[in-house]
Amino acid sequence: GVVEVPPARSAAERQAGWRASEVPNPSLQPDLCGLAQPGRLCDPDGLLTAQGRRQADDILHVIRNATRAKCPDGRDAGFDVGVVVVERMRAEGGVGV
């Protein structure tokens, strides 16, 4: 399920942008990512529509379930893809964006 709109950030926070370490984890904080349940997509600025978030998250789940990759321990696992959609990112720890 998808939450209609993620919690709003202030204009100053949006202008400053997100640091990678600040972006919510959609598996642990789905509500902050615009999701009603844990997923692989995070849209903390609410840039996508609820339908767009739902469709994108569905595609990410299909990728994980429809692919197989050989892990170092020899087992096969789905290819895990995560996506974050934000208005602006900022540099962190000397790493630019």
Side-chain angles (χ1 to χ4, degrees):
V2 175
V3 175
E4 286 302 313
V5 179
R9 291 177 35 146
S10 73
E13 288 173 317
R14 288 182 76 144
Q15 179 63 31
W18 289 90
R19 288 187 175 105
S21 63
E22 297 172 336
V23 175
N25 182 327
S27 294
L28 303 175
Q29 302 164 297
D31 56 320
L32 298 179
C33 292
L35 302 175
Q37 60 192 23
R40 300 202 171 352
L41 171 78
C42 192
D43 178 21
D45 289 335
L47 299 175
L48 301 175
T49 64
Q51 181 180 357
R53 284 192 299 277
R54 185 173 27 258
Q55 289 175 332
D57 197 50
D58 288 349
I59 289 168
L60 296 173
H61 283 282
V62 167
I63 291 170
R64 185 171 199 277
N65 293 328
T67 60
R68 288 288 165 244
K70 187 65 80 178
C71 294
D73 64 5
R75 67 183 172 84
D76 286 332
F79 192 75
D80 217 356
V81 178
V83 174
V84 63
V85 179
V86 294
E87 191 170 324
R88 181 182 302 237
M89 291 292 295
R90 63 178 154 161
E92 178 177 40
V95 178
V97 283

